[in-house]
Amino acid sequence: MTEETTGKSRRAFLKGAALTGVSLAAGQASAATPDPLITEVQPWASGLGDGVDETPYGLPIQYEGDVVRRNVEWLTADTISSINFTPIHALDGTITPQGCAFERHHSGAIDLKKEDYRLMINGMVDRPLVFTYADLERFPRENHVYFCECAANTGMEWAGAQLNGAQFTHGMIHNMEYTGVPLRTLLEEAGYDTAGKWVYVEGADASSNGRSIPMEKALDDVLVAFKANGEALRKEHGYPVRLVVPGWEGNMWVKWIRRIEVSDAPVESREETSKYTDTLEDGTSRKWTWEMDAKSVVTSPSPQSPITHGKGPLVISGLAWSGRGAITRVDVSKDGGKTWETARLAKPGEKMALSRFYLDTNWDGEEMMLQSRAMDETGYVQPTKAQLREVRGLNSIYHNNCIQTWLVRSNGEAENVEVS
């Protein structure tokens, strides 16, 4: 069906609904059955509402109480060193509210006041320096929208369809506007030695979560950030200061960043040897796989966001992203990858940021095998799970960017399946 035909049929459907008095939201009611929500005065229209000081810091309304982060209890031994998931199935647009952006902790979220915050730069520098929070605020700052994705996002799906919901399969991700000082600026202030090819970064929490970053990346786009979406970082996201490493795995975005050491070699810490490396079919492991490859997922319809309105106009929506640059195109398949339609990007893709895509279509009530396939500005095309397995086998956990499949049944409900 062409876009023009789809548009005409949608207009005809909506026009017909209006003429017959059909309620698209409720899927019922007719002109002969007046809707009391229209014909009768409701309580909210016959009294006064809350005053301006009812909630000094605005919170979501109670009717949206299910739009929250969730964890999978059996995934880790406890919640201190664990993860929860962004409710991507319930969001639209691309910016993730801080209050429902996923958390990943290695030793729990710590309480650290701005007044007690210190950031040290040492190692191969002319002048070892220690910055307070107030010091950082005096440097020229920048604003950038970036996604942060845990390397283990979709990791449970390597062996087959495991978790039933976009929140659980793809929710280790957020996309926020970060404000901070380029790391390059602070390294220049300390007089870094050009012979230093790496920086080692660590956090102030008990785990420290130390990671080595190539100097080339450190001087490129890494931010020392102290705001997200215009306000202070949340405690669980590294308040008061965290590192932002655009396009690279979330484990490198060290929270409560306390030390940056310039060195001539990587440290080879726990987090970059026994962890966050990719075990291949032959038992060897590849490391330094920092960049997050192009990836996408249909967020609606999906297991947590079924079709409830029956046949007719349907908006298929989802997210796409790439750590190598901007998303340029997303295709959607309704038949498990046999045929594809190009989706509409809500706006041109931005480097290392989420893109929202839509496919406006008409659903005939038949089963669908929904998939999405992302492409980025480098020409990279998101692979199938079979293509990934051909290269990496079944032993991996990290960097699973395979095409996801939702089976949408005739009743509108969806489930996670694997196409073989």
Side-chain angles (χ1 to χ4, degrees):
M1 182 178 291
T2 66
E3 183 177 348
E4 182 179 1
T5 304
T6 301
K8 288 181 179 178
S9 63
R10 179 180 296 268
R11 287 193 294 273
F13 179 89
L14 295 175
K15 182 179 179 181
L19 290 174
T20 59
V22 173
S23 167
L24 291 179
Q28 58 185 12
S30 68
T33 308
D35 184 348
L37 290 173
I38 295 293
T39 60
E40 299 177 10
V41 177
Q42 300 300 317
W44 54 82
S46 54
L48 300 178
D50 295 337
V52 294
D53 290 328
E54 185 70 21
T55 51
Y57 186 91
L59 300 171
I61 196 165
Q62 59 183 332
Y63 312 118
E64 298 296 318
D66 61 330
V67 184
V68 294
R69 296 178 288 221
R70 293 179 175 86
N71 74 344
V72 177
E73 292 184 359
W74 52 262
L75 198 56
T76 55
D78 58 53
T79 59
I80 300 300
S81 179
S82 190
I83 194 157
N84 59 24
F85 304 82
T86 304
I88 58 173
H89 64 287
L91 303 178
D92 213 322
T94 59
I95 296 298
T96 311
Q98 284 204 73
C100 59
F102 85 100
E103 304 173 63
R104 171 68 171 112
H105 308 311
H106 291 258
S107 55
I110 63 171
D111 243 318
L112 178 58
K113 294 189 298 184
K114 286 190 290 189
E115 293 80 6
D116 294 335
Y117 178 76
R118 300 293 184 270
L119 171 61
M120 177 170 59
I121 298 183
N122 68 331
M124 298 172 64
V125 297
D126 293 338
R127 299 175 298 280
L129 296 173
V130 174
F131 300 100
T132 65
Y133 185 92
D135 292 334
L136 295 178
E137 288 186 305
R138 300 176 65 186
F139 285 94
R141 65 190 72 167
E142 298 180 0
N143 299 302
H144 297 281
V145 175
Y146 293 126
F147 76 81
C148 173
E149 181 183 18
C150 178
N153 200 20
T154 322
M156 290 298 295
E157 304 300 303
W158 270 108
Q162 300 288 326
L163 301 172
N164 209 33
Q167 179 171 19
F168 304 115
T169 59
H170 290 75
M172 298 183 197
I173 193 168
H174 72 239
N175 191 65
M176 299 198 280
E177 182 189 57
Y178 281 100
T179 300
V181 179
L183 177 54
R184 175 183 61 256
T185 300
L186 301 181
L187 291 172
E188 289 172 349
E189 186 75 10
Y192 73 93
D193 189 335
T194 55
K197 302 303 180 185
W198 295 79
V199 296
Y200 180 69
V201 296
E202 64 181 13
D205 60 320
S207 76
S208 80
N209 196 51
R211 291 298 302 261
S212 302
I213 301 175
M215 181 62 78
E216 182 180 9
K217 179 68 171 178
L219 297 176
D220 181 18
D221 54 9
V222 176
L223 278 182
V224 176
F226 43 80
K227 302 284 185 183
N229 295 345
E231 62 180 357
L233 296 170
R234 297 292 172 89
K235 172 182 176 178
E236 62 268 28
H237 298 136
Y239 179 91
V241 181
R242 79 171 304 165
L243 207 64
V244 169
V245 189
W248 288 23
E249 61 188 18
N251 181 258
M252 306 183 81
W253 293 47
V254 174
K255 295 181 289 189
W256 312 289
I257 180 77
R258 78 174 191 97
R259 189 169 74 91
I260 301 170
E261 179 180 349
V262 178
S263 62
D264 59 1
V267 169
E268 307 276 4
S269 71
R270 171 185 180 273
E271 302 298 327
E272 53 201 20
T273 51
S274 68
K275 306 297 181 184
Y276 298 94
T277 51
D278 305 313
T279 303
L280 304 178
E281 187 74 26
D282 62 3
T284 62
S285 294
R286 64 175 192 167
K287 64 178 182 178
W288 310 141
T289 53
W290 303 298
E291 289 176 306
M292 304 305 292
D293 289 317
K295 187 171 178 178
S296 67
V297 64
V298 172
T299 54
S300 179
S302 66
Q304 295 165 282
S305 182
I307 301 171
T308 58
H309 53 62
K311 301 177 183 178
L314 171 67
V315 178
I316 298 172
S317 179
L319 295 167
W321 60 95
S322 173
R324 300 183 187 274
I327 291 295
T328 56
R329 174 175 156 183
V330 178
D331 293 338
V332 172
S333 176
K334 303 172 191 170
D335 54 16
K338 295 177 183 177
T339 61
W340 296 90
E341 300 174 63
T342 298
R344 170 173 58 89
L345 296 183
K347 63 178 180 179
E350 299 174 346
K351 289 181 181 295
M352 284 80 82
L354 292 188
S355 287
R356 171 67 61 175
F357 65 85
Y358 300 103
L359 183 67
D360 305 306
T361 189
N362 279 282
W363 184 46
D364 60 8
E366 296 296 316
E367 285 191 351
M368 295 185 289
M369 298 279 276
L370 280 183
Q371 297 180 339
S372 61
R373 179 178 66 188
M375 286 151 262
D376 67 23
E377 62 183 327
T378 70
Y380 181 93
V381 179
Q382 182 181 1
T384 64
K385 189 179 290 187
Q387 289 171 325
L388 273 186
R389 286 172 174 167
E390 286 176 10
V391 176
R392 294 169 57 190
L394 293 172
N395 296 323
S396 285
I397 297 174
Y398 308 109
H399 294 270
N400 181 1
N401 66 316
C402 72
I403 290 172
Q404 171 67 42
T405 307
W406 305 126
L407 170 59
V408 181
R409 300 194 181 279
S410 58
N411 64 0
E413 296 179 354
E415 64 177 289
N416 182 7
V417 298
E418 181 174 322
V419 174
S420 59

